[in-house]
Amino acid sequence: MNTKTFMLLIAAMLPLAAHADRDVDRTLPSSGVKEVRISNTSGSVEVTGADGDEIRVTGRIEEDVEELVIEKDGTVLAIEVKIDASRHGRTRASAELRVGMPADLALTVIGTSADIEVDGIRGEQRLKSVSGDVRTEIWSQPLDAETVSGDLRVKGHGETSRLRLAAVSGDVDAEAVAGELEAKSVSGDLVIEADGLDRGRFESTSGDVIAEIALERGGRIEAESVSGDVELTLGGDVDAEIDVSSFSGRIDNCFGPKPERKSRYAPGSELRFTHGEGRGDIRVKTLSGDVELCNR
Amino acid sequence: MDNQEEKRARAEAELDRRIAGLARDVAPDRDLWPDIEARLDEQEHAAPSRYGWWGAAAAALAVAALLPLLLREAPDAVVPVSDDVPMATVPETTAPRAIVPEATIPVETSPGMPASGIDTSAQRLRLRNAAVTSVRPGPEYDEARAELLELLEERLEGLAPEEREIVVRNIEAIRGALEEIDTALQDNPDDPLLQELMLKTYQTELDVMARVNGLAGPARRRTDL
């Protein structure tokens, strides 16, 4: 290889070198920050709550990522993985980010195919991804989490909170949560384990709803599905009016009363009874999904 | 809140209002069974047709003879759903109606839809839309849905093919559910459970389209949340 050829080769490789994979490690003070917003198209975002007053961003970004922008705007610190528009659709445009931040700050994470994993954040959380999985834990602050095909997994610590969990084909799995919970999916299953629920609303189109719940006094649960089954296991002292209707699904009840046909001329059946003093309210409705109601 | 969000919120509020207004039970005006029994008896005792099975056999032969002709004239391309597709109707009743009966529904065909039979996501959504049901919850819902659908078609273009397929399949599943409920409503038009499930499934469709539109929106808007 002569010198001229060698120089041409080096020149040709320069643009690649400019966009090679690179490591990220930046630390910023968290003073004045109330919320951290992270946006990453693909790859992963891991956020960990920690003591201290710093926000540290580490990880690795691939060559087609244009830049990692970290900007403070008022009380919001935005961390955004920017992809050069001309490089959209290329395969090397993902970023694996790890963010350590004070545990009590609010957090918003938006990803397209990025998986989102959050540990130890006690502030309000909004987590959204199209196809990435979302996993988090919560205490008393609200959580709003959405995916299309990714799964949603939430671990609570028994503290009263307000949760809104929505998927399309992904499964939704919430354990040890309390307070108010709205969970919905079209074809994904909803698996809920809640102790001390004030309000619960579970909706699916074809996915199953499997819920193990202790209802607070005067609490209310509504579960609806078109063709998915609904399996409701009630814990604690059940004190509620219970109303279950299905157009063509089977209703099984461990509490005693048997479902009745709604009409001689239609397949539907319903089950209505009061357990305890009837202070709470439990309603289940399906078109063709079966319903099973039991106590722990 | 932008204009589209406002429209969706209004449509959902309208659906909520109708759901809240649904009767808990609807008692039949009268027991229909004696009439049905009487008619069944009439049919059992009715005189056999003067054509009998000979007539049926002749009709079958005529159809068999015409079949090649019918098949030859069928177009090769996928035929877009047209206005003359028979649509079922829900009969009027005296009970408070949550769902507005419609004789026909507007068919949402795209002028640019090629007749090549290429099954794009947008085409599938539009074709499925036309076949959903003969009952509608009202003009606000139609308007909100049409706008969400238009945006959804744009958003789908920006998603990976497998992701697009998942979204389309799930919206089709919702529409399948609407059809399933609609079929049950044809025979039980006053059933409050069916009416409620129908309205809520309409809400689910709006909700899913809005959520996908939001999640799959342009990256520059994601930090504006």
Side-chain angles (χ1 to χ4, degrees):
Chain A
M1 187 186 295
N2 60 30
T3 310
K4 193 176 169 187
T5 311
F6 180 73
M7 293 303 287
L8 278 173
L9 194 62
I10 293 293
M13 288 173 70
L14 276 175
L16 292 178
H19 281 286
D21 291 3
R22 52 243 197 242
D23 290 326
V24 176
D25 190 347
R26 289 184 62 184
T27 303
L28 304 103
S30 66
S31 58
V33 175
K34 290 185 176 166
E35 181 186 354
V36 174
R37 292 185 189 176
I38 304 166
S39 166
N40 181 19
T41 304
S42 75
S44 64
V45 177
E46 288 176 34
V47 183
T48 309
D51 294 335
D53 51 9
E54 284 182 338
I55 297 168
R56 185 176 180 202
V57 184
T58 57
R60 189 165 181 79
I61 55 178
E62 287 187 334
E63 60 182 321
D64 288 339
V65 171
E66 188 183 0
E67 60 178 327
L68 177 70
V69 179
I70 303 179
E71 282 175 343
K72 189 176 168 207
D73 183 5
T75 58
V76 175
L77 184 83
I79 302 166
E80 185 182 2
V81 176
K82 286 191 93 166
I83 298 168
D84 183 345
S86 65
R87 288 171 176 265
H88 265 298
R90 297 202 181 184
T91 53
R92 309 245 332 123
S94 77
E96 283 165 19
L97 293 183
R98 286 182 296 280
V99 178
M101 57 184 263
D104 58 347
L105 295 185
L107 172 69
T108 296
V109 185
I110 310 293
T112 301
S113 61
D115 291 332
I116 299 169
E117 200 169 323
V118 180
D119 282 305
I121 295 295
R122 290 167 176 263
E124 183 171 349
Q125 298 177 44
R126 287 195 293 176
L127 312 172
K128 309 198 174 192
S129 184
V130 176
S131 58
D133 292 336
V134 174
R135 189 188 68 71
T136 188
E137 61 179 335
I138 59 151
W139 279 266
S140 61
Q141 290 299 306
L143 167 67
D144 181 355
E146 283 182 31
T147 72
V148 173
S149 61
D151 293 333
L152 280 177
R153 298 198 188 290
V154 181
K155 185 179 180 306
H157 291 269
E159 292 186 23
T160 301
S161 180
R162 207 169 62 241
L163 298 90
R164 187 179 155 272
L165 312 173
V168 176
S169 66
D171 295 334
V172 175
D173 190 339
E175 77 170 275
V177 295
E180 293 179 23
L181 168 61
E182 180 186 319
K184 49 191 170 183
S185 185
V186 176
S187 58
D189 295 336
L190 308 179
V191 181
I192 311 295
E193 188 259 296
D195 247 338
L197 208 61
D198 293 308
R199 294 279 180 277
R201 175 154 189 77
F202 316 126
E203 289 175 25
S204 87
T205 302
S206 59
D208 295 337
V209 179
I210 300 160
E212 197 171 311
I213 288 166
L215 195 62
E216 283 291 294
R217 178 175 288 198
R220 181 182 176 91
I221 300 170
E222 289 174 86
E224 278 162 22
S225 179
V226 177
S227 57
D229 296 337
V230 177
E231 196 181 305
L232 197 56
T233 307
L234 300 169
D237 293 328
V238 181
D239 181 4
E241 279 189 11
I242 296 168
D243 184 347
V244 182
S245 312
S246 180
F247 181 71
S248 59
R250 197 185 66 243
I251 299 176
D252 288 325
N253 177 30
C254 301
F255 287 92
K258 299 286 176 210
E260 291 173 2
R261 289 285 297 270
K262 280 165 73 175
S263 150
R264 279 175 66 193
Y265 320 113
S269 56
E270 61 188 10
L271 172 70
R272 284 181 190 162
F273 65 99
T274 300
H275 199 275
E277 292 177 45
R279 280 180 279 217
D281 205 354
I282 296 170
R283 291 175 192 277
V284 182
K285 294 183 165 97
T286 74
L287 178 77
S288 55
D290 295 335
V291 181
E292 188 182 308
L293 191 67
C294 269
N295 49 351
R296 269 199 296 240
Chain B
M1 189 186 279
D2 61 18
N3 193 33
Q4 193 176 75
E5 268 295 293
E6 271 177 34
K7 280 183 183 167
R8 182 169 78 94
R10 274 207 308 272
E12 292 207 348
E14 174 62 16
L15 290 168
D16 275 338
R17 193 184 62 76
R18 291 180 179 195
I19 289 165
L22 285 173
R24 199 171 157 88
D25 286 301
V26 176
D29 293 340
R30 61 196 172 88
D31 189 351
L32 301 171
W33 190 241
D35 273 358
I36 296 168
E37 268 183 330
R39 287 191 188 188
L40 286 173
D41 284 346
E42 272 173 30
Q43 280 177 14
E44 275 174 17
H45 296 110
S49 158
R50 66 188 169 114
Y51 299 112
W53 69 271
W54 286 108
L61 278 173
V63 170
L66 286 170
L67 202 56
L69 190 66
L70 292 169
L71 288 174
R72 199 172 61 240
E73 288 183 353
D76 293 335
V78 170
V79 182
V81 180
S82 64
D83 281 316
D84 54 13
V85 171
M87 297 292 177
T89 56
V90 173
E92 288 287 357
T93 69
T94 52
R97 300 307 306 263
I99 299 165
V100 180
E102 297 285 337
T104 56
I105 58 171
V107 177
E108 296 171 36
T109 50
S110 163
M113 189 185 289
S116 61
I118 297 168
D119 188 19
T120 65
S121 303
Q123 279 181 30
R124 276 171 62 188
L125 286 174
R126 284 172 184 272
L127 287 168
R128 290 288 296 148
N129 217 19
V132 165
T133 180
S134 60
V135 291
R136 293 186 303 171
E140 283 192 335
Y141 166 85
D142 287 341
E143 200 181 328
R145 186 175 71 165
E147 288 192 10
L148 285 168
L149 185 64
E150 197 178 327
L151 186 59
L152 179 68
E153 288 170 6
E154 258 179 62
R155 295 286 195 256
L156 286 177
E157 296 304 314
L159 291 179
E162 62 274 17
E163 209 52 53
R164 204 180 304 157
E165 180 62 26
I166 287 172
V167 173
V168 172
R169 231 176 30 228
N170 277 275
I171 289 177
E172 286 181 338
I174 296 171
R175 292 172 183 182
L178 285 169
E179 287 175 340
E180 207 179 328
I181 301 165
D182 187 50
T183 302
L185 266 170
Q186 307 297 325
D187 293 332
N188 306 275
D190 297 324
D191 190 318
L193 171 67
L194 294 176
Q195 292 183 353
E196 185 176 340
L197 286 171
M198 184 72 140
L199 291 170
K200 289 197 169 160
T201 308
Y202 275 125
Q203 278 184 328
T204 301
E205 190 190 26
L206 288 185
D207 178 56
V208 167
M209 288 199 284
R211 278 195 283 129
V212 173
N213 288 345
L215 286 170
R220 66 177 175 278
R221 294 178 61 186
R222 287 184 193 136
T223 50
D224 300 339
L225 288 170

